[in-house]
Amino acid sequence: MKKLIAMILALILPFAVLAFDFAKPSEPSGKVVLSDYSEAKQLYQVKLVEVNGENVPVRAHAVWLKPGQYELTLSAHIGDKAKSNLSIKDRRGMSDRENKLNLTVEAGKTYYLAYDARPEKHDDWKPIVYKVD
């Protein structure tokens, strides 16, 4: 059992060291909230996949980024209400669809992201910053 754990750690550790360097909440940073959304307004939850082209570990609620310019790759979690308005062909792969969002982060600000499914044409659906505090 100990050998198995050691082998798993040996395999995972190099990837953990190379992972994207998120800021800590105590550092000068901006908070990016991923899970504050409203299905009633057709704004859906997003999952952060990459930051500036680097894969990132899954984050459930929020990340902190140092001030600067970022390209975020996001995956949408479209709700059943929005999916029900799509044809079967259009629904295929919708939850795996990834989109890019450019974001300029300032220290001390909170950015709320969502996947905007309000446009009538689903090809126009995209991730947005819908609120900044």
Side-chain angles (χ1 to χ4, degrees), residues 55-126:
N55 288 334
V56 295
V58 174
R59 301 294 173 122
H61 175 66
V63 296
W64 283 262
L65 297 171
K66 296 171 186 165
Q69 186 76 21
Y70 295 93
E71 182 183 69
L72 307 178
T73 303
L74 302 158
S75 176
H77 292 276
I78 305 295
D80 291 335
K81 181 180 175 185
K83 284 182 184 176
S84 68
N85 295 325
L86 299 174
S87 70
I88 292 172
K89 179 184 174 189
D90 292 336
R91 276 186 245 166
R92 191 175 308 126
M94 181 62 72
S95 61
D96 297 329
R97 189 170 163 185
E98 293 180 356
N99 292 274
K100 308 260 186 229
L101 175 72
N102 291 314
L103 180 66
T104 302
V105 174
E106 295 179 31
K109 293 201 174 186
T110 301
Y111 302 87
Y112 296 87
L113 307 186
Y115 193 78
D116 186 1
R118 293 176 291 186
E120 284 188 36
K121 293 175 62 176
H122 77 275
D123 290 340
D124 295 333
W125 293 0
K126 62 185 177 209

Side-chain angles (χ1 to χ4, degrees), residues 17 20 44 99 125 131:
V17 173
F20 183 80
Y44 295 93
N99 292 274
W125 293 0
K131 183 169 73 171

